[in-house]
């Protein structure tokens, strides 16, 4: 019986070891997914980067609005959706991303952090769109959309607003179509956060089995064959009572 218990304890320890190895391996992937969003590389085949799934089925609408602005006014508006700005200010994050991608005089970047509910512009100094005109576009066409989680509407409103400013027209107020509240979602716990609880449980199983087997052995050494009846053991005399 004792050998069976020991073998069971060893199996439990082995299972715990396998679980810990799997969790550590998964933790590397989970930690990579859980990192904050630093300045990103923009796509080479388009002007939209959606890292949180904010646009969903409305991505073609956004692409069409950006294409119309490029054709009509020669302005490339890039739109990026991330979960957060990795502790930077929205403007600093947008400027760093624009610099990383070498955006030029006729390029504008709108960066949106869906979980943090923040946005930022980046535009080259001396370009056709000034900081003041971008602020006007934001107040009228971008912020109302973001306030109602209309992530696609923010990009469409930005494109329409930039085109209106360049044409000398008032910035149009967009129609609002609410989208997912928090497409980036909360940060998932890293798998490494589960290592300690699993280790504790596995250790408790092994220690419990070992302690139980020791008690069985002690009980065996304190009994003698025979006794008061068939199959019963009589306690040995305590040395202090002799």
């Amino acid at each position: 019986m004792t050998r069976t218990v020991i073998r069971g304890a060893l199996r439990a320890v082995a299972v715990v070891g396998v679980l810990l190895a799997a969790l550590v391996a998964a933790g590397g992937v989970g930690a990579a997914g859980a990192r904050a969003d630093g300045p990103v590389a923009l796509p080479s085949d388009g002007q939209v980067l959606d890292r949180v799934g904010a646009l969903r089925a409305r991505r073609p609408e956004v692409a069409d609005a950006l294409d119309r602005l490029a054709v009509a006014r020669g302005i490339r508006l890039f739109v990026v959706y991330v979960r957060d700005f990795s502790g930077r200010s929205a403007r600093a994050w947008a400027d760093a991303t624009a610099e990383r991608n070498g955006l030029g005089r006729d390029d504008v970047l709108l960066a949106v952090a869906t979980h943090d509910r923040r946005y930022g512009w980046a535009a080259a100094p001396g370009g056709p769109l000034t900081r003041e005109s971008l602020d006007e576009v934001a107040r009228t066409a971008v912020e109302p959309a973001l306030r109602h989680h209309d992530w696609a509407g923010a990009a469409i409103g930005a494109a329409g607003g930039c085109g209106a400013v360049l044409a000398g027209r008032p910035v149009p107020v967009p129609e609002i179509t609410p989208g997912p509240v928090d497409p980036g979602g909360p940060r998932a716990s890293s798998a490494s956060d589960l290592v300690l609880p699993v280790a504790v449980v596995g250790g408790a199983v092994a220690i419990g089995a070992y302690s139980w087997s020791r008690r069985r052995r002690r009980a065996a050494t304190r009994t003698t064959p025979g006794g008061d009846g068939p199959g019963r053991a009589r306690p040995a005399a305590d040395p202090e009572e002799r």
Side-chain angles (χ1 to χ4, degrees):
M1 181 67 179
T2 300
R3 292 180 180 177
T4 301
V5 172
I6 293 175
R7 284 198 296 270
L10 291 176
R11 290 193 193 98
V13 172
V15 170
V16 171
V18 172
L19 289 173
L20 289 177
L23 286 170
V24 169
V29 177
R35 283 195 296 267
D37 294 300
V40 297
L42 298 176
S44 57
D45 57 348
Q47 294 164 235
V48 179
L49 178 61
D50 182 5
R51 300 186 68 175
V52 295
L55 298 179
R56 300 186 179 183
R58 299 188 65 192
R59 188 184 184 103
E61 293 181 56
V62 173
D64 287 345
L66 302 183
D67 288 344
R68 288 195 299 271
L69 176 63
V71 170
R73 299 296 167 187
I75 297 295
R76 290 194 307 170
L77 172 60
F78 293 88
V79 184
V80 176
Y81 298 89
V82 292
R83 181 187 183 275
D84 58 62
F85 290 140
S86 62
R88 303 185 187 211
S89 70
R91 181 172 178 178
W93 193 96
D95 285 342
T97 297
E99 182 177 357
R100 174 180 177 177
N101 292 274
L103 298 191
R105 181 179 179 277
D106 296 325
D107 297 329
V108 179
L109 172 67
L110 172 62
V112 178
T114 56
H115 183 74
D116 289 350
R117 299 292 192 273
R118 298 163 63 202
Y119 72 92
W121 293 102
L129 289 165
T130 65
R131 180 66 58 178
E132 290 74 18
S133 62
L134 290 175
D135 287 343
E136 179 186 355
V137 172
R139 284 191 302 271
T140 306
V142 176
E143 291 178 4
L146 295 180
R147 198 174 297 123
H148 293 87
H149 323 300
D150 187 359
W151 313 111
I156 295 169
C162 289
V165 167
L166 294 172
R169 301 192 305 267
V171 175
V173 177
E175 295 183 4
I176 302 297
T177 304
V181 173
D182 187 6
R187 287 291 181 204
S189 297
S190 171
S192 60
D193 295 340
L194 303 177
V195 169
L196 181 58
V198 172
V200 169
V201 172
V205 170
I207 291 172
Y210 176 71
S211 300
W212 188 84
S213 66
R214 281 179 61 89
R215 287 196 298 270
R216 293 276 299 178
R217 286 198 298 272
R218 288 198 193 99
T221 59
R222 288 199 299 267
T223 60
T224 58
D228 297 331
R232 297 187 62 184
R234 182 173 58 199
D238 193 308
E240 296 295 327
E241 296 176 354
R242 291 178 183 174

